[in-house]
Each structure stands twice: as structure tokens, then as C-alpha cells.
């Protein structure tokens, strides 16, 4: 099938070209994000393949449906950025990649924890200036600390497993309990209790209306003073101005995040020559106890290979009129 890729980066072209050897689809890569004013690029393509910051609003979907697109293939797990009811009304099929490497994201969350706790960013910079001082690098043992896992699905479960290896005590919060996480010795508790008892809280639930700003001014008040918050899920789980206030008060001791609510206008591009207009983001960046990465938690060789393979398999199945287990219903 003819597939138009949006937000396509060189690494997407490499991984999809390699996986396509087994599928033989016709791949066309476009750099721009898909949004109403780039929708004409999809003209004549029965399939569009998009990523997390493409804008799949009703207006975009109507525009691409009008010019012949019938399948929207998300090359990601989250689907909070597509208006599914409009897609369904237009008779479009939407597929996604529900799992490609829970290890990648869970391991990145651990990387953020170690970076903040052991101040590795500061140590790296000091070393380059021949500054061998230890002052300001003091960390804490994770062994024996309490780690709260919010959302214990594929990634949260993997993260809990790693933290158990560190010798941490595990608390968990989810709308449904996961037997494997219970087997690790985790105890499910209400969110307020998890926040009050945990030294480290890591978010691994999807962005839904029920989880939007799960971490806000009110929930941050429950936090154990000086605790660490890690977000490798979606920026919208966190009310960033409330996090900034909690950092200023010392209520929140550390914040590590791979995602940001308004990341669509920032991430995945080199903006080093521009003046960043997002004052909230710039303020967040200025804290020495904050580490931000630009949505790279998924970015491993294994994950890219799995994303490409599953996406092309999804498209092949839908194109052949076969049932696809990765189809999303409104
Ligand atoms: P999953 O579907 O396996 O697990 C999600 C868990 O969240 C489930 O156990 C579910 O019951 C739970 N949940 C749902 N509503 C909840 C609520 N209101 N409160 C607490 N828990 C709730 O998903 P998976 O694969 O573990 O991914 C989790 C999230 O990680 C994704 O939704 C996505 O937003 C994010 N992600 C981030 C990536 C990155 O590169 N930073 C890459 C891949 C995923």
C-alpha cells in the first residue's frame, strides 16, 4: 500500500526501510507534522503513518479522508492525540503499536532517577573542567527506600521489577491490580497514601480524562517532603506550574521528566538557534534539581525495530481486510 509518513526522521526511514523488506509497501517520508495545514501532503495516500505529536484533530482527519486516506497507523502506543469518534464516523481504521519495548521506557525512568539522585549531569560537567570536588554531589541509597509506581501495566511492571532489584520497598496505584506486581512484594494503596509514603514516585499510566493533571497542587500536598517525581508517560499527567511551585517550596525535592504537556511545539527538533517562547518550560529547566529529556525514553534500537515491524504488519492486515488485534475502537 502507499503509505505517507509524517514527522519522519532519518532513524524512522532507516528502521521502516529495513522492516519493509518483508512487506513491500510503498513508503513516502514527509518531515512536517500532520496537521490541518499539511494535510494536503496525504492526498492520494490510502494510509498515513503518524507519531505522538502529529495533530489528529477532527479537522485533520476530515481533510485526509476527503483526499482518500482510510487507514491511520500510529507508530506509538498512546492514542490520546487522535479524535477517535471522528475517525470512526469517517469510516477510518486506526491502528497502533501497543507494546514495543517496555524495557526501554522503564530503563530510562531509572536513568532519570540515578541522574537526579547521584547528580551525574553535574559530575560530568565538573569532570570536563578538572573540578574533582564532591560537594554538591551527595545522593542517597535507593536500597531500603520506598518507590511508588503509578500505573502498573507493561512499563510500570518492568519498572517495579528493576526497583525491586535495587532493594526498594514497592507501593503501587492502579485502577486494576497486576498479579505479577503483587508477586514482587508490592502493596497497592490509594494514590494519596502512595504519595505520602514514597521517596520516589514514577508515573506509568496513560493520559486519559481521568488522569489529566493527576499530579496537581492538591495531590502534591500529599507528597512526602523532598520526594522525587519521575514522569516518562505523558506531559498532561502533570500540572507543570504546580510542580514548579512545589519545587520552590521544597515539597518536591527532584523532578525528572521525559515528557512535557506542551512538548508538541518543542521536542524532536533542534531549536538551539531560536528563542524558546515557553516561559514555563524555561523556568522548569532552570532548577538544578530538575532533569528533562525530550521524549527519548522509547528510543532504543530494539524499540524502533519493533515499532516498524508491528506498524507494517498492522497496515498489511487491515489492507487485506483481516482482523487486526491492534485496531483502536472509539
Ligand atoms: P499499559 O496499558 O500496559 O499500562 C497502563 C496502566 O495504567 C494499566 O495498568 C492501567 O490499568 C493503568 N491505568 C489506567 N488508568 C489509570 C488511572 N486512572 N490511574 C492509575 N492507573 C491507571 O501501558 P504501558 O505500555 O505500560 O504504557 C504506559 C504509558 O507510558 C503509555 O500510556 C504512554 O503514555 C507512556 N509511554 C511513554 C513513552 C516514552 O517514550 N516516554 C513510550 C511508550 C509509552
Amino acid at each position: 500500500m502507499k503509505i505517507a509518513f509524517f514527522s519522519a526522521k532519518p532513524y524512522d526511514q532507516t528502521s521502516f526501510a529495513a522492516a519493509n523488506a518483508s512487506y513491500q509497501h510503498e513508503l513516502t517520508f514527509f518531515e512536517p507534522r500532520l496537521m490541518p495545514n499539511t494535510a494536503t501532503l496525504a492526498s492520494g495516500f490510502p494510509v498515513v503513518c503518524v507519531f505522538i505529536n502529529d495533530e489528529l484533530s477532527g479537522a485533520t482527519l476530515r481533510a485526509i479522508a476527503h483526499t482518500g486516506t482510510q487507514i491511520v497507523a500510529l507508530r506509538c502506543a498512546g492514542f490520546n492525540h487522535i479524535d477517535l469518534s471522528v475517525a470512526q464516523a469517517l469510516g477510518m481504521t486506526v491502528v497502533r503499536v501497543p507494546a514495543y519495548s517496555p524495557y526501554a521506557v522503564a530503563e530510562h525512568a531509572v536513568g532519570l532517577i540515578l541522574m537526579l539522585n547521584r547528580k551525574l549531569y553535574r559530575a560530568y560537567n565538573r569532570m570536563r573542567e578538572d573540578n574533582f570536588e564532591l560537594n554538591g554531589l551527595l545522593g542517597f541509597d535507593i536500597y531500603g527506600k520506598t518507590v511508588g509506581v503509578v500505573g502498573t501495566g507493561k512499563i510500570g511492571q518492568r519498572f517495579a521489577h528493576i526497583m525491586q532489584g535495587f532493594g526498594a520497598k514497592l507501593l503501587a496505584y492502579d485502577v486494576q491490580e497486576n498479579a505479577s506486581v503483587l508477586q514482587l512484594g508490592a502493596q497497592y494503596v490509594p494514590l494519596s497514601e502512595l504519595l505520602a509514603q514514597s521517596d520516589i514516585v514514577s508515573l506509568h499510566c496513560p493520559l486519559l480524562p481521568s488522569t489529566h493533571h493527576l499530579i496537581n497542587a492538591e495531590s502534591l500536598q500529599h507528597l512526602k517532603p523532598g520526594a522525587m517525581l519521575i514522569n516518562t508517560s505523558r506531559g498532561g499527567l502533570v500540572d507543570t506550574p504546580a510542580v514548579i511551585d512545589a519545587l520552590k517550596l521544597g515539597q518536591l525535592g527532584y523532578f525528572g521528566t521525559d515528557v512535557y504537556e506542551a512538548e508538541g511545539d518543542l521536542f524532536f527538533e533542534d531549536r538551539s538557534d531560536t528563542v524558546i517562547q515557553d516561559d514555563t518550560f524555561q523556568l522548569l529547566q532552570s532548577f538544578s534539581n530538575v532533569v528533562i529529556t525530550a521524549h527519548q525514553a522509547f528510543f532504543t534500537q530494539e524499540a524502533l525495530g519493533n515499532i516498524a515491524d508491528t506498524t507494517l504488519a498492522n497496515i498489511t492486515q487491515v489492507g487485506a481486510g483481516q482482523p487486526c488485534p491492534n485496531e483502536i475502537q472509539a
Side-chain angles (χ1 to χ4, degrees), residues 98-265:
Y100 39 87
S101 175
Y103 313 104
V105 183
E107 289 168 15
H108 190 79
V110 178
L112 290 175
I113 291 172
L114 292 174
M115 181 97 140
L116 282 166
N117 175 20
R118 309 307 295 267
K119 285 128 185 123
L120 298 176
Y121 52 97
R122 200 177 262 179
Y124 174 81
N125 286 330
R126 282 188 189 182
M127 196 57 64
R128 294 178 69 87
E129 293 178 0
D130 295 337
N131 175 357
F132 308 115
E133 171 77 79
L134 292 186
N135 251 343
L137 300 184
L138 192 64
F140 59 83
D141 290 356
I142 296 174
Y143 177 85
K145 294 295 183 300
T146 300
V147 175
V149 188
V150 178
T152 52
K154 292 177 285 297
I155 296 170
Q157 174 184 326
R158 187 64 212 153
F159 174 78
H161 201 99
I162 302 172
M163 285 295 108
Q164 192 219 28
F166 273 77
K169 179 184 168 201
L170 295 174
L171 293 180
Y173 169 74
D174 199 311
V175 288
Q176 57 187 53
E177 296 190 357
N178 178 331
S180 316
V181 173
L182 284 168
Q183 271 176 9
L184 291 171
Q187 188 191 349
Y188 279 88
V189 293
L191 182 61
S192 57
E193 199 176 323
L194 180 147
L195 295 174
Q197 289 190 32
S198 299
D199 300 288
I200 300 170
V201 175
S202 194
L203 306 179
H204 299 288
C205 57
L207 178 60
L208 303 166
S210 61
T211 58
H212 181 248
H213 288 185
L214 191 72
I215 302 298
N216 55 33
E218 200 274 328
S219 54
L220 282 162
Q221 281 181 9
H222 295 286
L223 209 62
K224 187 171 182 175
M228 180 187 293
L229 176 67
I230 301 293
N231 186 8
T232 54
S233 265
R234 285 291 180 267
L237 296 178
V238 168
D239 178 352
T240 308
V243 158
I244 289 172
D245 287 345
L247 284 164
K248 282 181 172 170
L249 290 170
Q251 177 70 10
L252 181 60
Y254 316 77
F255 181 50
T257 190
D258 184 51
V259 286
Y260 174 62
E261 192 162 17
E263 68 179 49
D265 293 332

Side-chain angles (χ1 to χ4, degrees), residues 270-319:
D270 179 359
R271 303 193 193 278
S272 52
D273 276 343
T274 60
V275 176
I276 302 294
Q277 300 295 327
D278 185 333
D279 294 347
T280 306
F281 184 78
Q282 292 299 76
L283 180 55
L284 189 65
Q285 281 229 64
S286 70
F287 290 87
S288 62
N289 50 353
V290 170
V291 167
I292 308 173
T293 51
H295 212 132
Q296 72 171 83
F298 75 99
F299 198 53
T300 64
Q301 290 171 7
E302 292 78 3
L304 288 189
N306 291 337
I307 288 170
D309 193 51
T310 305
T311 301
L312 295 178
N314 287 344
I315 293 168
T316 305
Q317 282 173 334
V318 175

